[in-house]
């Protein structure tokens, strides 16, 4: 398939390479300026994509402290299934990469006894009652004063003693955690003894993408991702619940290429539903240029209508000794 585009002449080719080399601090421009252009080869690349837009829904249980008030339980009506929820107001633009939202399922709230404190609202103090059996505690337990080490007196270098101001001479102080109550407020239920539970629908929209590149032998060394990012010409763009291969009356290759893209369709998770698919095929213009000097040569590519230069590995004038910020020396 022929593409309408301007043919690159030698001056434009050199300017593109010189500009590319100029953005690398340790590359010299002499080969780009002086080496002979030995060959210029057109090797267009076809890029096919199949985007599958899906929706996933799952139910998670959410719990918080119940501090009073009415609840939306089953007495208010039947609990809706996760796929019965109307989320049209949250629906994203088609083929968005990823979006997630959460919604409370109506009539799913229940009140439960707090498992952290068995519904009491208080828990045994872990400091002054750590030696007690679960559920049992003792009040008014005192801890040894850390200032006087239980003496009630503070010793001085001259041999005198004074009353410890921290414990008032008693040698013991109340528990700093519970003030010697033996109990602390349950953090799970915030002292209420009850928990409010509800079902939450977690809804995710995402796009599963299948990508395929049909490159000639001349462009086979270029990574596929370079072509996916390049600007080309779109030959087809179809959208349906389930896309079928595109048909080109004058190209057996494109028909076969489209069928291969469709056959590699990404599999949606079992609990997801497919909303729609989009199938595109684009052609990206690629020019392979070979430059030579004496018995040395190297090749580079000019890709897409934005004319991005791709130079894989070898360039004959590179002078990186690890003293510049390009980090090229790490690849040696």
């Amino acid at each position: 398939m022929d593409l309408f585009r301007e043919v690159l002449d030698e001056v434009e080719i050199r300017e593109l390479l010189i500009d590319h080399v100029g953005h690398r601090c340790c590359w010299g421009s002499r080969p780009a300026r002086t080496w002979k252009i030995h060959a210029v080869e057109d090797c267009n690349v076809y890029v096919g994509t199949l985007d599958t837009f899906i929706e996933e829904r799952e139910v998670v249980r959410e719990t918080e402290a119940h501090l009073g008030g009415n609840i939306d339980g089953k007495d208010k009506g039947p609990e809706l299934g996760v796929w019965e929820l109307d989320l049209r107001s949250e629906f994203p633009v088609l083929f968005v990469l990823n979006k997630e939202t959460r919604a409370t399922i109506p009539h799913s709230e229940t009140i439960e006894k707090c498992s952290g404190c068995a519904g009491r609202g208080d828990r045994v103090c872990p400091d002054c009652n750590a030696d007690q059996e679960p559920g049992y505690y003792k009040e008014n337990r005192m801890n040894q004063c850390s200032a006087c080490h239980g003496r009630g007196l503070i010793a001085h270098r001259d041999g005198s003693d004074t009353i410890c101001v921290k414990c008032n001479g008693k040698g013991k102080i109340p528990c700093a955690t519970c003030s010697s109550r033996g109990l602390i407020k349950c953090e799970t239920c915030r002292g209420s003894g009850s928990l409010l539970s509800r079902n939450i629908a977690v809804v995710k929209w995402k796009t599963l993408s299948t990508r395929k590149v049909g490159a000639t032998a001349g462009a086979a060394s270029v990574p596929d991702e370079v072509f996916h990012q390049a600007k080309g010409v779109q030959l087809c763009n179809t959208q349906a619940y389930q896309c079928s291969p595109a048909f080109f009356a004058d190209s057996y290759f494109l028909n076969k290429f489209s069928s291969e893209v469709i056959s590699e369709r990404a599999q949606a998770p079992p609990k997801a539903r497919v909303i729609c698919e989009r199938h595109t095929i684009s052609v990206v213009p690629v020019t392979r240029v070979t430059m030579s000097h004496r018995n040395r040569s190297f090749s580079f590519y000019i890709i897409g209508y934005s004319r991005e230069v791709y130079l894989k590995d070898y360039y004959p004038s590179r002078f990186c000794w690890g003293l510049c910020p390009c980090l090229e020396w790490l690849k040696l």
Side-chain angles (χ1 to χ4, degrees), residues 37-283:
I37 296 179
H38 178 73
V40 178
E41 175 189 0
D42 287 335
C43 40
N44 297 331
V45 170
Y46 295 93
V47 178
T49 64
L50 179 64
D51 296 325
T52 304
F53 189 56
I54 66 170
E55 178 180 347
E56 294 180 275
R57 296 189 182 188
E58 64 174 341
V59 178
V60 297
R61 195 71 174 168
E62 187 179 85
T63 302
E64 63 181 31
H66 178 57
L67 304 178
N70 297 326
I71 68 169
D72 183 16
K74 293 184 178 180
D75 58 324
K76 302 290 181 63
E79 180 179 341
L80 297 179
V82 67
W83 287 103
E84 295 177 306
L85 297 178
D86 185 358
L87 298 175
R88 284 176 292 183
S89 62
E90 299 291 335
F91 200 84
V93 177
L94 288 178
F95 303 107
V96 68
L97 189 61
N98 203 343
K99 181 185 177 181
E100 179 177 323
T101 190
R102 299 167 71 91
T104 300
I105 297 180
H107 317 314
S108 65
E109 292 184 341
T110 59
I111 297 178
E112 304 169 356
K113 183 170 66 174
C114 178
S115 59
C117 63
R120 298 185 182 93
D122 292 316
R123 301 176 64 181
V124 175
C125 178
D127 290 338
C128 65
N129 276 271
D131 58 343
Q132 297 298 306
E133 293 292 328
Y136 294 89
Y137 70 97
K138 292 182 179 180
E139 295 181 288
N140 301 318
R141 302 191 79 174
M142 308 291 281
N143 295 331
Q144 179 178 286
C145 177
S146 59
C148 64
H149 304 288
R151 292 180 64 240
L153 300 172
I154 300 295
H156 299 282
R157 291 185 178 181
D158 60 1
S160 62
D161 292 328
T162 57
I163 295 176
C164 177
V165 296
K166 186 173 184 179
C167 64
N168 292 323
K170 298 177 181 178
K172 293 183 178 294
I173 57 175
C175 174
T177 303
C178 67
S179 300
S180 293
R181 286 181 59 239
L183 296 172
I184 59 173
K185 185 169 71 172
C186 178
E187 296 180 357
T188 303
C189 64
R190 295 167 60 184
S192 68
S194 301
L195 298 176
L196 176 62
S197 297
R198 62 175 66 89
N199 287 334
I200 302 295
V202 180
V203 185
K204 300 177 182 178
W205 293 277
K206 64 177 65 174
T207 300
L208 307 178
S209 295
T210 298
R211 295 180 174 183
K212 188 176 181 64
V213 171
T216 60
S221 62
V222 181
D224 289 353
E225 192 61 32
V226 175
F227 299 126
H228 286 300
Q229 296 175 357
K231 182 179 179 182
V233 174
Q234 203 168 83
L235 302 180
C236 80
N237 186 332
T238 60
Q239 184 173 313
Y241 170 71
Q242 187 174 48
C243 289
S244 56
F247 174 72
F248 296 87
D250 57 348
S251 177
Y252 170 78
F253 168 79
L254 286 178
N255 292 333
K256 182 174 180 292
F257 181 65
S258 176
S259 297
E260 291 173 352
V261 175
I262 296 295
S263 67
E264 296 177 8
R265 172 184 284 110
Q267 294 298 316
K271 295 183 179 180
R273 70 183 181 105
V274 175
I275 297 175
C276 62
E277 291 184 336
R278 178 178 60 193
H279 176 41
T280 64
I281 293 180
S282 301
V283 57

